[in-house]
Amino acid sequence: NFCRVLHATSRSAGVIAVVAAAATWLTAAPQAPSPREASVFQQKIEIIRRAQASRRTVVTERELAAYFALDAAKDLPVGIVNPAVTILGPNHVAARAVVDLDAVRKASPPKSLLDPKNLLIGRVPLSAIATFSSGGGTGRFVLESAKLGELPLPKLLLDEIVSYYTRSASRA
């Protein structure tokens, strides 16, 4: 009986070890975005820009994450830090970032003591959900909702901010 119990215990311990290893593997933190994934994203954007706009180009969430984690700072407005995009489903995305209000204020100093920019202090989370569509080499986001901290951000205000920061020579 002792041998049978020991054998059953050994088998149970083996099963427990395998289950524990699998659970550890499944719940392990995802790998950090790689420079290679960010580079692949940049290459895909260049393909879209080079008159291959009619070609279907698939971008993965990991490529987006790598771009925002490693390369996006140069393309974003002053004060936007820790940006991230999550693909929620087909043509549906969520974005989040932190707005460093001190950096925004320093980049565009207040003009007077009564300037509202004097109130910009600290960091605040910004989040948004949008639908995405593309065609002809351009992408279009339609905002569904946005929050600054826990406060809803009026769509009109966010549309104005995004329009200002996404102007191009063709859309001046």
Side-chain angles (χ1 to χ4, degrees), residues 50-68:
R50 282 183 294 181
Q52 295 182 12
S54 61
R55 177 180 160 181
R56 182 180 171 109
T57 305
V58 176
V59 175
T60 69
E61 188 168 342
R62 286 200 48 85
E63 291 164 350
L64 273 173
Y67 166 75
F68 279 108

Side-chain angles (χ1 to χ4, degrees), residues 107-129:
S108 178
K111 307 279 189 248
S112 72
L113 287 174
L114 299 177
D115 191 324
K117 291 179 193 170
N118 286 317
L119 302 174
L120 302 180
I121 298 171
R123 290 177 167 228
V124 67
L126 173 66
S127 61
I129 295 177

Side-chain angles (χ1 to χ4, degrees), residues 27-68:
T27 60
Q31 285 183 322
S34 74
R36 183 185 179 314
E37 289 167 320
S39 175
V40 167
F41 176 81
Q42 292 285 21
Q43 290 168 3
K44 288 179 179 181
I45 296 302
E46 285 306 313
I47 288 170
I48 293 168
R49 287 183 181 152
R50 282 183 294 181
Q52 295 182 12
S54 61
R55 177 180 160 181
R56 182 180 171 109
T57 305
V58 176
V59 175
T60 69
E61 188 168 342
R62 286 200 48 85
E63 291 164 350
L64 273 173
Y67 166 75
F68 279 108

Side-chain angles (χ1 to χ4, degrees), residues 126-129 143-149 151-155 158:
L126 173 66
S127 61
I129 295 177
L143 182 68
E144 293 179 11
S145 65
K147 286 184 177 182
L148 191 60
L151 300 174
L153 191 59
K155 183 179 182 300
L158 190 60

